[in-house]
Amino acid sequence: MPLASTPPSSTPSSADTLWYAPAQLLRLFGSSPVAMAYWGRDQRLRLASPQWCEWFGVPSTGIAGQLLGEALPPAFALQHQEALQAAAQGQRQQFDTCKTDAHGQLAWRRVSLSPHLWPGSAGSKSAQGVLMLMQDCSAEYANAAQADALRAQLAALSSTNPERSEEKGELLKMRTLLDWRTAMLAEHSEMLQLLSHEIRQPLNNASAAMQATMSAIADLQLAQTTPATKALLRAEHVLQQVIGTLDNTLAAGTILAVGGRAGASSDTDLPTLVNLVLHDIAADARPRIQVVWDAEARTVQLHPALMRLTIRNLLNNALNYAPADSPVLLRLADSDDPLALIIEVIDEGPGIPDSLRPRLFEKGTRGSDHRHRAGAGLGLFIVRSVVQLHQGTVQALPRQPNGTIMRMELPQGLDD
């Protein structure tokens, strides 16, 4: 069902205007199977998917332009008032909520509130907009209840047969298996897909449409087009941030699902991979990247989709944290002993603080000025996980006189 695109009677800010038009962009989100909504700093909804409206029991027709407080049920708004206010102040929030479904069963959703701060709003304490995503986590709660019941049964069985060593050994094995299963389910549920694959194509279509529009505006060579071009650039950056978060989340789910196995590594054309990565970078940031070829090999053994995401994460980090006018180098080289492909991303940024290095590749780790940058701290966690799947290593090395070298060494010839 397409989303309504009628703006509210009040005049929106320049940063919010683009969320009212074009209507085609809103219709792309209307086909999403994911429960999601976006509202501006004026607390008026810009878009809401039919699944979001269904969960909260509100009609999807005419939802755009409504105040958030009018669309949300009073009980929900009151219970999660602090989280909603914190998101409006630019702080990422996450919490679980539930309701009874049509079959009388409890249905659970994990709610993520991701503030987006437009370029130029640094120093402002309020977000320019908030994206709400709702993940179905009912299975996680059901598994937890089953695990608790099984533990209780094990405890009862253990207490009634304390002297029988054979049964006690079996109990120990069952308990170990249960703890492992519970840990894996918790980890997998935490990183499981927040969005389905179906939403990524509309996002890519919207980004391509915006780039085509910017190109058409530039070709017209008309005066007074700068505000429109800037607004489209801001919109494309938001879409790229959402796509990046989606890809990282899907990759994390894929990595956990394969259980530490490298999966579908294959012969990959290296120049093609590099070109795809560069295409993933925002158009206005792409000229800053300089590719240095010190590698003779043109075909390498990699998992192409995961490695594409890994290199993109490193490049986006370098582009975000280095000075805006500084170049970022992508260097590719060979190693003969041992046989390996070396990929380096080199920037002229402020470097990595010593206090951050021990946990740099852990899930959730972010830089000191992350409050004005979108993301969930998954980028370098994905990098390390993908490199480990390839049985390789990754290092963050200091660059003189300033900057960082992110160096990946990926063994080759393992299939032989």
Side-chain angles (χ1 to χ4, degrees):
M1 180 182 297
L3 296 173
S5 57
T6 304
S9 57
S10 60
T11 303
S13 68
S14 60
D16 288 335
T17 302
L18 59 94
W19 291 104
Y20 294 114
Q24 291 86 347
L25 176 60
L26 295 180
R27 283 197 290 270
L28 287 174
F29 284 90
S31 62
S32 165
V34 180
M36 60 183 294
Y38 182 91
W39 58 88
R41 63 179 174 181
D42 59 358
Q43 297 293 295
R44 290 188 181 275
L45 286 164
R46 300 298 186 264
L47 60 90
S49 68
Q51 287 73 15
W52 189 91
C53 296
E54 180 182 356
W55 176 266
F56 288 111
V58 296
S60 58
T61 304
I63 191 69
Q66 283 192 21
L67 286 169
L68 183 65
E70 297 174 351
L72 291 177
F76 178 90
L78 180 62
Q79 182 180 0
H80 303 291
Q81 181 179 9
E82 292 185 4
L84 293 169
Q85 291 177 348
Q89 296 300 320
Q91 302 174 28
R92 184 179 176 87
Q93 302 290 307
Q94 187 177 85
F95 57 86
D96 293 353
T97 186
C98 69
K99 71 173 185 179
T100 303
D101 62 19
H103 303 288
Q105 302 294 324
L106 273 182
W108 288 87
R109 295 294 183 270
R110 181 151 298 144
V111 180
S112 297
L113 301 177
S114 301
H116 287 279
L117 296 122
W118 294 97
S121 65
S124 172
K125 293 184 178 180
S126 61
Q128 298 297 312
V130 177
L131 177 68
M132 174 189 281
L133 302 174
M134 303 181 71
Q135 171 197 1
D136 188 346
C137 57
S138 301
E140 179 180 340
Y141 279 87
N143 286 330
Q146 292 175 3
D148 290 340
L150 184 54
R151 283 197 183 92
Q153 293 175 6
L154 289 172
L157 183 58
S158 179
S159 63
T160 56
N161 300 277
E163 304 300 330
R164 302 180 62 176
S165 58
E166 183 178 349
E167 291 185 4
K168 289 178 68 175
E170 291 297 320
L171 285 172
L172 181 60
K173 292 179 181 179
M174 291 177 63
R175 186 174 289 111
T176 302
L177 180 61
L178 173 63
D179 291 341
W180 174 84
R181 176 179 177 271
T182 303
M184 288 296 295
L185 282 173
E187 183 72 10
H188 190 268
S189 296
E190 181 185 358
M191 300 302 302
L192 203 58
Q193 305 168 357
L194 295 177
L195 301 173
S196 64
H197 285 284
E198 286 82 355
I199 194 176
R200 195 184 190 284
Q201 190 59 48
L203 289 172
N204 282 333
N205 291 343
S207 179
M210 288 179 180
Q211 293 184 32
T213 303
M214 286 187 285
S215 178
I217 292 175
D219 291 342
L220 291 175
Q221 298 182 348
L222 299 176
Q224 305 299 324
T225 60
T226 300
T229 302
K230 288 183 177 179
L232 287 169
L233 277 173
R234 288 197 299 267
E236 190 202 5
H237 274 287
V238 171
L239 285 176
Q240 291 297 334
Q241 290 167 359
V242 175
I243 290 172
T245 301
L246 169 64
D247 284 346
N248 280 330
T249 304
L250 291 174
T254 300
I255 291 168
L256 292 170
V258 300
R261 293 176 284 105
S265 291
S266 60
D267 289 341
T268 302
D269 184 73
L270 197 53
T272 300
L273 176 63
V274 170
N275 288 334
L276 289 173
V277 171
L278 294 178
H279 179 76
D280 292 339
I281 303 299
D284 58 331
R286 210 173 294 156
R288 291 175 56 192
I289 301 174
Q290 300 176 9
V291 181
V292 179
W293 285 97
D294 291 331
E296 295 182 3
R298 286 298 181 265
T299 301
V300 291
Q301 293 175 1
L302 296 173
H303 188 301
L306 290 178
M307 189 53 59
R308 175 180 175 181
L309 175 60
T310 297
I311 301 174
R312 185 213 304 172
N313 282 342
L314 292 179
L315 287 174
N316 279 330
N317 271 3
L319 292 168
N320 287 335
Y321 286 96
D325 56 349
S326 65
V328 171
L329 303 184
L330 172 59
R331 176 176 175 267
L332 301 104
D334 292 322
S335 170
D336 293 330
D337 188 17
L339 185 62
L341 170 68
I342 296 173
I343 302 177
E344 293 180 340
V345 174
I346 307 170
D347 65 59
E348 299 178 4
I352 300 171
D354 291 339
S355 60
L356 192 62
R357 287 185 177 276
R359 51 189 178 88
L360 183 64
F361 294 99
E362 294 180 3
K363 187 167 47 186
T365 298
R366 306 190 66 192
S368 57
D369 61 343
H370 69 275
R371 288 180 298 174
H372 299 295
R373 304 182 189 277
L378 288 176
L380 292 182
F381 167 74
I382 295 296
V383 170
R384 183 186 65 178
S385 300
V386 171
V387 170
Q388 288 176 342
L389 287 179
H390 288 80
Q391 303 181 43
T393 59
V394 59
Q395 302 178 75
L397 305 173
R399 177 180 185 268
Q400 299 300 329
N402 58 281
T404 300
I405 302 173
M406 299 298 296
R407 187 176 193 270
M408 297 186 294
E409 185 170 332
L410 307 168
Q412 297 296 294
L414 297 179
D415 290 348
D416 299 334

